[in-house]
Amino acid sequence: MVHILDDWEALREYASYCRYGCYQLKDLGEEEEIRVMVGRFGYISTFKKNDPKLKEILDFCVRQGFLQIVKETREDIFFA
């Protein structure tokens, strides 16, 4: 289970003490959704494509070395 936070600053502070994290971008047309997960905590938000807050979150994820999730698939069919 992932506990979703609505406060990016709180997750960012927590993430600065963690070794591993991941993030995902989803294109929603004129907007993009970003999902960031660190440990059992997550953050989900939608921004306009050129929003500075989105860039700030992405820059943080890259600086922290978080892995970018590009696609999901069920584990039982991964090697099928």
Side-chain angles (χ1 to χ4, degrees):
M1 177 176 292
V2 178
H3 304 287
I4 307 298
L5 306 177
D6 64 356
D7 182 353
W8 165 249
E9 294 304 320
L11 184 70
R12 185 181 62 76
E13 179 68 23
Y14 173 76
S16 66
Y17 296 103
C18 297
R19 289 182 67 183
Y20 303 107
C22 59
Y23 67 99
Q24 182 180 46
L25 278 175
K26 291 187 176 184
D27 189 339
L28 305 175
E30 294 184 17
E31 296 180 320
E32 286 187 296
E33 178 184 85
I34 187 161
R35 294 172 177 242
V36 182
M37 189 171 107
V38 182
R40 296 187 138 202
F41 296 103
Y43 174 79
I44 301 171
S45 194
T46 303
F47 297 96
K48 297 286 185 191
K49 291 206 181 226
N50 295 320
D51 191 307
K53 184 73 169 180
L54 175 62
K55 182 176 177 355
E56 173 192 327
I57 294 170
L58 284 172
D59 288 348
F60 176 84
C61 291
V62 170
R63 276 194 319 273
Q64 290 295 110
F66 289 176
L67 302 173
Q68 182 177 8
I69 306 298
V70 294
K71 187 176 180 180
E72 304 98 10
T73 189
R74 290 188 351 232
E75 186 175 347
D76 61 325
I77 65 167
F78 183 74
F79 287 111

